[in-house]
Amino acid sequence: MARIAYVNGRYAPINDPAIGIEDRGFQFADGVYEVWLVKGGVFQDHAGHMARLKRSLTELRIPMPMSEASLDIALAETLRRNRLNNALVYLQVTRGVAKRDHAFPASPVRPTIVITARPLSMAASEKRAETGIDVITRPDERWKRCDIKSVSLLPNVLAKQAARESGAYEAWLIDADGFITEGSSSNAWIVTPEGVLVTRKADHGILNGVTRLRIMRIAKSLGLSFEERAFSLEEALSAREAFISSASSLVMPVVRVDGRPIANGAPGSLASALREAYLAGAEA
Ligand code: PMP
């Protein structure tokens, strides 16, 4: 079955040429995006993703392209037309099409909206979670507004490619002070030897993951001790557990960093418990 994309009010086969050459998303990466996990036909953490979309757009002074209700319909309809139950739904909004000039268009243009959906195998994700993943580390070479979910992802792309080439699943990015900021497309977590759950504070240095916020709510409901603070590579290497979080990987245990095992090199019990709680719909 041909995959169907929503493009500016139309549903079209994904390979149809549909975006203007002078779209500012293409020319300048002048746009934002969101990715929803859809499980059993239900958009996970929908309100959190919508709130972050609005925030990203506001920070870049791109108008919300349509009402939230209309956007909800387009998201659901894209999922339906692709006949998917477990999926990743991708939404991109760019500033629109205008004669190429770095500054914003002098007169307002209509933002471009694209929605796509692709299948996500929960079985493959579960299998990966059973063994855990390897991460490598890379210097964080991104800009200073990583809190905006911008489509300008080149440093993330290069870090992820480096991970692939070394047989790892993710790259953790390290800031100038030696602290881990986050993964190339996920948030980073550790559990200290004392059992404290730690993830970096959501400042301009990281994307405030919707899954990260969900895990924080779950941790609170389970009465886990939790700290929002930076942690170094050294601290991660001596941690009891490590894991990443994102809409696409949920909670995914990290068992090696730069080839060095975390604890005994097996997925940790807290990471597995948080993953289970997430899958069971806790604090949704
Ligand atoms: N950080 C970065 C850089 C990401 O790209 C992502 C995934 N979009 C995340 C964190 C996790 O965010 P979320 O939990 O909302 O998917």
Side-chain angles (χ1 to χ4, degrees):
M1 188 187 75
R3 288 177 59 202
I4 302 296
Y6 172 91
V7 187
N8 292 328
R10 288 180 50 243
Y11 294 91
I14 197 161
N15 290 324
D16 273 14
I19 304 293
I21 288 169
E22 291 206 299
D23 191 280
R24 291 178 62 93
F26 176 57
Q27 296 283 347
F28 298 114
D30 186 359
V32 304
Y33 72 109
E34 276 301 328
V35 181
W36 278 260
L37 168 69
V38 177
K39 199 166 67 69
V42 179
F43 282 74
Q44 302 294 304
D45 298 317
H46 183 64
H49 285 286
M50 203 48 99
R52 188 173 62 188
L53 171 69
K54 285 186 193 157
R55 180 181 184 277
S56 296
L57 289 169
T58 302
E59 290 297 315
L60 297 182
R61 290 196 275 151
I62 298 174
M64 181 78 169
M66 54 168 79
S67 73
E68 200 175 318
S70 305
L71 202 48
D72 283 350
I73 291 168
L75 287 164
E77 183 62 14
T78 305
L79 183 74
R80 194 188 69 78
R81 290 194 186 221
N82 285 284
R83 298 176 204 276
L84 293 172
N85 204 33
N86 294 323
L88 288 175
V89 173
Y90 177 87
L91 164 74
Q92 180 169 328
V93 180
T94 79
R95 197 179 305 278
V97 177
K99 188 160 126 280
R100 192 180 183 283
D101 178 6
H102 285 61
F104 296 174
S107 36
V109 294
R110 194 166 48 92
T112 298
I113 316 174
V114 171
I115 304 172
T116 58
R118 67 176 163 90
L120 175 78
S121 162
M122 290 307 290
S125 177
E126 281 302 288
K127 201 158 160 237
R128 187 172 291 124
E130 276 166 28
T131 51
I133 57 161
D134 277 64
V135 306
I136 58 164
T137 58
R138 277 298 198 249
D140 193 339
E141 294 172 337
R142 301 173 302 162
W143 73 326
K144 296 191 172 65
R145 289 304 308 273
C146 297
D147 57 308
I148 301 171
K149 199 164 170 58
S150 143
V151 294
S152 175
L153 289 171
L154 196 47
N156 309 57
V157 166
L158 296 176
K160 185 76 93 188
Q161 180 60 20
R164 285 284 150 78
E165 287 173 7
S166 46
Y169 185 77
E170 178 59 300
W172 275 0
L173 307 174
I174 303 196
D175 72 14
D177 300 319
F179 293 106
I180 291 162
T181 51
E182 60 181 334
S184 70
S185 63
S186 58
N187 289 115
W189 301 71
I190 57 167
V191 179
T192 69
E194 297 75 33
V196 181
L197 196 57
V198 180
T199 197
R200 193 182 175 102
K201 193 157 91 23
D203 51 19
H204 285 181
I206 67 164
L207 184 75
N208 192 359
V210 173
T211 319
R212 171 188 181 277
L213 293 169
R214 171 88 170 272
I215 294 167
M216 282 166 53
R217 293 197 298 277
I218 295 174
K220 197 169 167 203
S221 76
L222 296 177
L224 303 175
S225 24
F226 169 66
E227 285 173 12
E228 259 184 299
R229 63 165 173 83
F231 59 88
S232 65
L233 173 59
E234 288 64 39
E235 189 178 3
L237 288 170
S238 59
R240 185 194 282 184
E241 297 185 29
F243 62 92
I244 61 168
S245 68
S246 71
S248 56
S249 62
L250 316 177
V251 176
M252 188 59 72
V254 171
V255 293
R256 268 177 302 274
V257 177
D258 288 336
R260 296 159 69 180
I262 301 296
N264 64 357
S269 56
L270 210 52
S272 303
L274 289 167
R275 183 180 171 92
E276 260 174 48
Y278 182 107
L279 285 168
E283 303 303 312

